Amino acid sequence: MFNSYEKNTLHLDPARCINCGICQTVCPHAVFASGDKVAVLASPESCMECGACMKNCPVGAITVESGVGCAEAMIRAAITGSKNETCGCGGEGESICCGGTDECR
Amino acid sequence: MDTPQSSRYSCTPVSGAPPCTCTGEATIDREIRSTDSTITFANRLDHFLARWGVNRMGHRVEPGLCRLGNPTPESPVFASANYTLSFDALRSSLAGIDAFILVLDTKGINVWCAAGKGTFGTEELIHRIETTALASIVTHRRIIVPQLGAPGISWMEVLRRSGFRVEFGPVRAADLPEYMKTQTATPAMRTVQFPLRDRIVLIPVELVQVIPWAVVATLIVGFLLNWMIAGQLLTAVLAGTVLFPALLPYIPTKDFSTKGLLLGALVMFPFIWVNMAAGITSWMQAGYAITSLLVFPPITAFLALNFTGATTFTSRTGVRKEIFTYIRVMAGMLVTGTVLAAVLFVVRAGGV
């Protein structure tokens, strides 16, 4: 109830996984853990769909529809009919998005 | 109001260092600028202005290679964004460590967001490695990239095309000294949190975005209707921009919209209580309470929903679901409440 964040688009294909551990390294929300032979999804509901794991998996075992979880950007895209749902903080219009990550190097 | 001086303090704090100059994109940029770990008053002022959204995209460092301390060809190389807050966090955390800093051109955006957009990305990293001739400056082939750069950087691609091995360092620059000692990042160093301090620093930029609109709307409502309603409007806006980020983890439910509705309703109670003491008929009091709870919480909730973009954990799937679920609820409440308020106003004016 009142939780829209239970499901997401993260998918791990155990058949491809070589248990190299890079997904655990790059994930900022400890979604992955090392299993016996392959990586396991320890906390799939914590995934924020940033796409770091998919980008760095050397065997393409991970898929996720990565994007920015920003309502302002999505509402603006819906209103303007634009397909660009990224934050406006890249210079193409001001946005509050992305403020939260200033601390992160 | 472009102020290149203030935005470039960060990369030339060493006295006598050459000014930052941009060289041609395709040519080799042999110039290695010098920096140190000191955060000056000018840096702090720049950070303060960035936090308040002043010259939002202008807080930049010149991209290219920077020398921190007295690095040798064996010294480590750290990648950073050309946003002053990112760059300054890195160089101040590396106090006492001799290193090279490879500043990528992220258009003045922090590492994580730039990685999400792809500007802190594989292409730009390879491009900077090439244009700075990094391979001729250091003997090793290792580059430490912030973990939050990973959504934009594929280590396989970088290795294949540049010969450099990407090593994902900790999330926070502050953990780098520990990381350099142990050569490992603990699970805590690999995880993004969103503590009170990180939420509080976002309030100013939220405020400057909505305050001009909120003040105009408040004045219009105040002069046309009454100042009580104007006060309620301003309260609803401040609840969404100031209270919401501060109280985020303590408000019940997961969805930002429902959190916002709850908080918005809560801040209306003082007004309802004051109105009860005003000596109007009981059904008028009830009408006032109901309209207040219909009109103002959606305003707080909408601002709360927009805060998703500033948080460190909301997924696109979840936010999209929230938009589809709650936008019509918010609009419905607002319209119903306004109609009800108009009816009450007419009835009251009719002399009840």
Side-chain angles (χ1 to χ4, degrees):
Chain A
M1 222 11 204
F2 304 127
N3 186 356
S4 302
Y5 300 92
E6 284 169 320
K7 285 189 187 140
N8 54 59
T9 56
L10 177 68
H11 180 74
L12 168 69
D13 181 1
R16 288 191 179 188
C17 179
I18 55 170
N19 213 14
C20 70
I22 188 73
C23 50
Q24 292 163 59
T25 299
V26 297
C27 179
H29 290 292
V31 167
F32 302 92
S34 43
D36 284 342
K37 294 207 174 88
V38 293
V40 291
L41 295 174
S43 174
E45 72 286 350
S46 304
C47 175
M48 61 174 291
E49 302 178 328
C50 74
C53 51
M54 177 170 70
K55 188 102 181 169
N56 283 283
C57 177
V59 290
I62 302 167
T63 53
V64 58
E65 287 170 30
S66 63
V68 183
C70 173
E72 190 183 314
M74 281 185 218
I75 293 168
R76 191 177 47 234
I79 291 169
T80 59
S82 158
K83 285 209 174 83
N84 181 15
E85 282 184 359
T86 55
C87 309
C89 50
E92 67 273 15
E94 307 261 308
S95 164
I96 58 161
C97 298
C98 301
T101 53
D102 293 339
E103 292 308 297
C104 310
R105 296 179 55 180
Chain B
M1 203 190 72
D2 193 19
T3 50
Q5 302 93 325
S6 71
S7 63
R8 287 181 190 176
Y9 276 130
S10 296
C11 68
T12 55
V14 176
S15 58
C20 304
T21 50
C22 228
T23 54
E25 285 291 285
T27 56
I28 299 279
D29 178 8
R30 285 283 176 194
E31 186 198 10
I32 307 177
R33 286 167 284 114
S34 291
T35 186
D36 61 23
S37 294
T38 317
I39 301 297
T40 63
F41 176 75
N43 294 145
R44 289 192 198 286
L45 180 65
D46 169 75
H47 300 171
F48 178 81
L49 293 176
R51 290 298 189 192
W52 280 92
V54 180
N55 189 16
R56 192 87 205 281
M57 308 311 301
H59 303 270
R60 302 189 188 197
V61 185
E62 203 69 22
L65 197 60
C66 268
R67 204 184 269 117
L68 180 73
N70 296 299
T72 64
E74 283 81 44
S75 295
V77 180
F78 296 89
S80 187
N82 77 326
Y83 179 46
T84 52
L85 280 171
S86 305
F87 179 75
D88 291 353
L90 175 62
R91 66 186 180 86
S92 62
S93 297
L94 292 176
I97 297 174
D98 296 316
F100 292 100
I101 299 177
L102 187 64
V103 181
L104 308 196
D105 186 2
T106 60
K107 319 289 179 202
I109 303 285
N110 68 75
V111 171
W112 205 7
C113 284
K117 289 169 166 299
T119 45
F120 190 97
T122 308
E123 291 303 321
E124 170 65 8
L125 179 58
I126 294 169
H127 170 74
R128 288 293 155 193
I129 289 172
E130 283 169 359
T131 54
T132 58
L134 188 61
S136 69
I137 292 162
V138 292
T139 51
H140 62 84
R141 291 293 176 265
R142 186 173 81 120
I143 182 155
I144 301 167
V145 173
Q147 184 188 328
L148 295 184
I153 289 182
S154 156
W155 71 268
M156 304 88 77
E157 274 286 294
V158 176
L159 180 64
R160 189 170 64 79
R161 286 168 50 194
S162 74
F164 275 82
R165 192 165 54 83
V166 168
E167 185 181 305
F168 289 109
V171 164
R172 285 163 294 272
D175 290 327
L176 274 171
E178 174 78 11
Y179 175 81
M180 296 306 285
K181 247 179 260 165
T182 60
Q183 291 297 315
T184 51
T186 62
M189 289 185 204
R190 292 252 170 254
T191 319
V192 170
Q193 306 293 337
F194 201 33
L196 181 66
R197 194 195 161 276
D198 290 6
R199 301 196 304 273
I200 296 272
V201 294
L202 300 176
I203 292 174
V205 95
E206 299 277 321
L207 266 182
V208 295
Q209 292 239 328
V210 299
I211 277 298
W213 303 97
V215 167
V216 169
T218 302
L219 289 176
I220 290 173
V221 170
F223 280 114
L224 289 186
L225 299 169
N226 72 55
W227 291 100
M228 180 94 158
I229 300 174
Q232 285 177 285
L233 178 63
L234 195 61
T235 303
V237 170
L238 290 176
T241 47
V242 178
L243 284 183
F244 187 80
L247 300 176
L248 178 63
Y250 312 111
I251 309 169
T253 72
K254 271 270 192 192
D255 284 338
F256 283 56
S257 311
T258 47
K259 280 173 185 281
L261 286 174
L262 287 172
L263 182 66
L266 191 70
V267 296
M268 282 306 120
F269 278 100
F271 291 96
I272 293 169
W273 184 77
V274 165
N275 205 271
M276 282 170 94
I280 47 172
T281 58
S282 57
W283 70 266
M284 208 65 195
Q285 285 176 16
Y288 174 80
I290 292 167
T291 49
S292 291
L293 292 176
L294 280 173
V295 171
F296 299 106
I299 297 170
T300 308
F302 186 73
L303 292 165
L305 179 57
N306 273 339
F307 191 64
T308 49
T311 69
T312 58
F313 54 85
T314 52
S315 66
R316 184 161 71 166
T317 304
V319 173
R320 182 177 286 143
K321 200 173 164 197
E322 276 215 52
I323 291 172
F324 281 118
T325 311
Y326 298 109
I327 290 288
R328 70 187 80 177
V329 175
M330 292 177 201
M333 286 174 73
L334 198 63
V335 169
T336 312
T338 310
V339 170
L340 191 60
V343 169
L344 284 172
F345 185 77
V346 169
V347 169
R348 197 179 177 190
V352 181

